[in-house]
Every structure is written in C-alpha cells, then in structure tokens.
Amino acid sequence: MRFAVSYSTPYHGVDPDRIVAFARHAEECGFEGLYLPEHIVLYPGATIGGMELPPTLPYPDPLDCLAFIAAATNRILLGTAVLLLPYRHPVILAKQLATIDVLSKGRMRLLTVGLGGLPGEAAAVGVDYAGRGRRADEAIDVMRLLWAGGADGVSFHGEFFDFDRLVSFPKPHGGAELPIHVGGSSRAAARRAGQRGDGYFPGGMLTPDERRAQLSLARATALEAGRDPQALAYTRWASTGLTPDRVEDFAAQGVTRLVVNVAATDPAEQRDEMSAFADRFRLADVAG
C-alpha cells in the first residue's frame, strides 16, 4: 500500500509559506505524493452532490501550485484530484505537464483527471457540458500521442481536436508517457479508467456494492480493450485516523494507494497529525 496526502486549498488556504511547509513536512514524513484539487471558476448557487460551494473558496491553479511545490521539495510526487480535463486544451496541457515533470525530475506522476460537475463552469470556458466526457477521452488520446511523437510530428483528427504533424518537446522526464489516472464516482468514469486510464480514483460517496461494481467494470473494460486489468492502480480517499486493520480491508478490496485528508487547520497540529500517521505506518522507512 502506498500513502499520499491531500492539501485542500479551499480548506487550508493559499498562503505560500504554509503550502511549502506542509509539502516539506509531508515529504519528510515519507508520504509518496501530494494532491491538489481544482475548480476553474465558481459562482453563486453552484452545488455538487447537493452541497452548495461558497463562491469565494480559494482554488489556485493546481499545476502552477504543484510547480511551486516541486521547486521547494526533492522527492514527493505531484498529483491532482481532480484536474478538470475537458476544460483544458490537451495540446497546451501536454506541454505544461511535461514541463513540470522535466523540471521536477520525474515527479508529475499522480495526475488524476475528471469531468467536473458544475454546468456553469463548463459554460464559462465554452465547453458543452453534455459532451465533456467525449472531449476528455479525446484529450487523453491527444496528450499521449504528443508525448510519444517524434521529430516527424503526429496527426489527430477527432470530434473536438484536429491537427497535422505536430511536434511537442520536451518529453516527460526519461522519455516516458505520464500516467493518467481517472477520477469520478460514475460507471462512465470506471469505463474510462479501464479504456484509457493508468488507474481509477473514485469519489467518496459510494456504497460498498457500487464500489465493487465500478472496480469490476473498470477491470472488465480494460480486458475488453486489450489492456492488463491488474496493472490498473486503484486509489481511494481515507483519513489520518486510519488503522492497520482498516488498511488491510482496503488492500483486500484491491486498493493500491490511499490519499489521506488532514483535518487540523493549525499548521503545528497539521504537522503532528501527519507525523503520527507516518509513525503508525512507518512511512519514513518505506520512503528511505
């Protein structure tokens, strides 16, 4: 089991010193990675899962923020949960992600993408809300094509993106394609993970039966697509109050990575909370 930690900017704020201190302590504790959320815009009345989001919640651009974190750390992997893929142009995004990966020496490896659940957010960036799933599928294909392409260029002709003989350098660190994990709480997200993803990261509001059904669907879809279903990483949310027995339960469900949320708001208490978790699971020994 691998353990990562999430820094919730709407909950903890965007003070740069506090973000760096959090990331450095997470690294020192031995956490594998650090995840950030995304919303491009909010608006009065925006709701997700029946919960209204205050429009003044601070959501910095996660990729800019992760680049900032990368410059202040040495080992911790960089992640998003989730990056709203349909609202970003994949030609530009492929360059952004490769750049962060090169400059961080190969740490932009926990990218998780999703569709977003706010129609007003889609409208704000000129994206058809109903078609955002198909757009995301194409975006994944475009980015992988650009990362794999050579000096002769690559071409793509789809519903949303169309180009001929594009060349995109630099490549990700080491020349490999970046892993793309798929987030979401729907069966469509599970199918997308199986068809195109390197991993599946479902949301937290699912019944145990639905979780099992979605993981089975993701793996079955991967098999149908000629991919190895057992190579699909399976990430879940958890709390820092996690016990070893509960981790064993997660592992029995096929989970390969847990991302914990820190409940404390005071920076000193946050550090204590992360340290206690790291000591409980001996993360520093694993990281070392």
Side-chain angles (χ1 to χ4, degrees):
M1 185 69 70
R2 285 162 282 180
F3 298 94
V5 63
S6 173
Y7 186 88
S8 175
T9 53
Y11 186 59
H12 298 307
V14 293
D15 178 82
D17 295 331
R18 183 170 177 174
I19 291 172
V20 165
F22 186 100
R24 284 176 172 167
H25 190 70
E27 183 171 78
E28 291 168 4
C29 284
F31 284 96
E32 176 199 28
L34 187 147
Y35 284 77
L36 293 176
E38 176 176 50
H39 275 295
I40 296 173
V41 291
L42 295 176
Y43 48 90
T47 60
I48 293 182
M51 181 180 69
E52 184 169 342
L53 299 177
T56 57
L57 289 176
Y59 282 94
D61 182 277
L63 299 185
D64 288 342
C65 196
L66 288 172
F68 177 76
I69 289 169
T73 55
N74 297 300
R75 178 198 57 80
I76 199 161
L77 300 184
L78 310 171
T80 58
V82 295
L83 190 79
L84 302 180
L85 183 57
Y87 308 154
R88 292 175 176 261
H89 198 292
V91 174
I92 298 172
L93 183 58
K95 175 63 66 71
Q96 290 176 306
L97 292 168
T99 299
I100 296 172
D101 195 59
V102 167
L103 296 181
S104 67
K105 300 180 181 180
R107 291 193 281 147
M108 187 67 247
R109 300 303 167 109
L110 295 177
L111 172 73
T112 305
V113 301
L115 301 189
L118 298 177
E121 197 168 21
V125 295
V127 170
D128 173 40
Y129 187 75
R132 72 197 193 287
R134 301 192 311 277
R135 187 181 180 95
D137 290 342
E138 279 196 15
I140 292 173
D141 295 343
V142 165
M143 290 193 295
R144 287 200 171 125
L145 185 66
L146 289 168
W147 289 329
D152 292 334
V154 292
S155 301
F156 185 91
H157 306 289
E159 179 183 358
F160 301 96
F161 308 106
D162 190 282
F163 53 81
D164 286 298
R165 300 189 62 191
L166 292 188
V167 179
S168 184
F169 281 80
K171 302 302 181 186
H173 183 73
E177 295 179 11
L178 297 181
I180 301 175
H181 300 249
V182 175
S185 298
S186 68
R187 297 198 176 193
R191 284 190 293 270
R192 180 169 295 107
Q195 289 169 344
R196 288 177 166 83
D198 296 289
Y200 185 38
F201 190 169
M205 303 299 290
L206 294 171
T207 66
D209 286 345
E210 182 61 19
R211 287 195 186 282
R212 285 190 291 270
Q214 289 192 12
L215 180 59
S216 295
L217 178 59
R219 288 175 171 169
T221 305
L223 189 62
E224 291 171 4
R227 311 175 73 218
D228 180 3
Q230 298 308 313
L232 196 67
Y234 184 34
T235 304
R236 291 271 296 276
W237 292 107
S239 74
T240 54
L242 205 61
T243 64
D245 285 347
R246 183 62 178 134
V247 170
E248 290 183 9
D249 289 342
F250 275 117
Q253 297 170 39
V255 177
T256 55
R257 178 181 294 105
L258 291 169
V259 182
V260 299
N261 291 301
V262 174
T265 56
D266 176 76
E269 292 177 2
Q270 288 176 347
R271 291 191 292 272
D272 290 344
E273 191 175 336
M274 285 191 282
S275 293
F277 183 91
D279 290 344
R280 192 181 317 137
F281 293 102
R282 302 179 64 180
L283 299 191
D285 294 344
V286 175

